[in-house]
Amino acid sequence: MKIGYARVSTAEQNLDLQRDALKEAGCDRIFEDKVSGVRSDRPELARALDMLRAGDTLVIWRFDRLSRSLKDLLDKVEALKATEVQLVSIQESVDTSTATGVLMFQLFGLLAEFERNLIRERSLAGMEAARARGRKGGRPWALDEKRAQAMLAMYKSREVSVSVILETFGVSKTTLYKYVRAEAAGEPVVV
């Protein structure tokens, strides 16, 4: 049996392209998630994996639809292999039921890891160069000093709920507590 799995990251995105490709690949059943790939709770993927039996094939449009990290992808492929389930990626033209497919999968994995390492090295070098020029990095403070002090006064008064404060100043909870921690530490609340 061929089981297809399609995923998009947001509800606004469309699954038609993946769905059409999976149907053309001859999938008997297609499972679809509309959730970010970094989230581990993908209910339709869990259902698809649960349905697979020895001799079946999991068909995906691209590797990144199944997993966001190389390690997770390799773990999933090993788990499929242990249950005698094959993996086919349509866009990468990889079929783990063939020796060539296994080799191609391993090469794609190595190249993806190499690319991530290069990006990481460039990012670190860029941040180091910026620090050498006096830049700290990170996001700037969201509010000017007057609005920040007003927000902190409202927070400390405990007369208004946090959700009202967030709505009033147009900031997230994380940002509010960034200001609270800075003030508690005696640091300036704006730079």
Side-chain angles (χ1 to χ4, degrees):
M1 180 177 236
K2 284 188 175 181
I3 304 292
Y5 175 70
R7 182 187 61 78
V8 290
S9 298
T10 65
E12 294 81 32
Q13 292 176 323
N14 192 314
L15 285 161
D16 291 344
L17 174 70
Q18 294 178 55
R19 191 180 297 124
D20 292 346
L22 293 171
K23 285 178 183 175
E24 191 175 313
C27 291
D28 302 299
R29 181 95 188 261
I30 298 173
F31 293 86
E32 302 171 354
D33 274 321
K34 288 191 175 187
V35 63
S36 172
V38 296
R39 293 189 50 186
S40 59
D41 59 326
R42 290 183 270 165
E44 292 302 304
L45 175 59
R47 288 183 60 211
L49 295 174
D50 191 49
M51 182 175 245
L52 292 164
R53 300 291 180 252
D56 288 348
T57 301
L58 177 63
V59 183
I60 55 175
W61 186 61
R62 287 175 46 130
F63 288 134
D64 66 353
R65 301 298 86 198
L66 184 61
S67 177
R68 284 282 191 188
S69 75
L70 176 62
K71 182 184 181 326
D72 183 49
L73 180 61
L74 292 173
D75 289 345
K76 281 185 172 67
V77 171
E78 284 302 314
L80 292 172
K81 192 170 150 184
T83 56
E84 299 177 23
V85 171
Q86 302 305 319
L87 175 66
V88 171
S89 173
I90 297 169
Q91 285 295 299
E92 288 92 0
S93 299
V94 172
D95 180 348
T96 61
S97 67
T98 67
T100 304
V102 171
L103 174 64
M104 291 302 294
F105 175 77
Q106 291 171 341
L107 286 174
F108 282 131
L110 289 172
L111 290 172
E113 185 174 0
F114 176 70
E115 180 182 8
R116 275 194 302 283
N117 286 336
L118 284 179
I119 291 168
R120 184 175 170 272
E121 286 175 9
R122 285 192 297 257
S123 296
L124 290 174
M127 289 187 295
E128 190 174 312
R131 275 193 295 276
R133 290 184 185 88
R135 292 203 49 215
K136 291 174 81 172
R139 293 185 181 188
W141 293 92
L143 303 174
D144 61 32
E145 188 169 2
K146 185 177 178 181
R147 286 179 46 87
Q149 292 302 333
M151 181 179 69
L152 289 168
M154 193 181 281
Y155 176 80
K156 286 189 272 186
S157 75
R158 297 189 185 273
E159 295 174 8
V160 181
S161 71
V162 169
S163 60
V164 170
I165 294 171
L166 300 179
E167 189 175 322
T168 302
F169 290 93
V171 297
S172 68
K173 192 181 283 191
T174 302
T175 300
L176 168 63
Y177 290 115
K178 174 182 171 183
Y179 282 95
V180 170
R181 281 191 306 276
E183 186 186 50
E187 299 171 359
V189 293
V190 290
V191 177

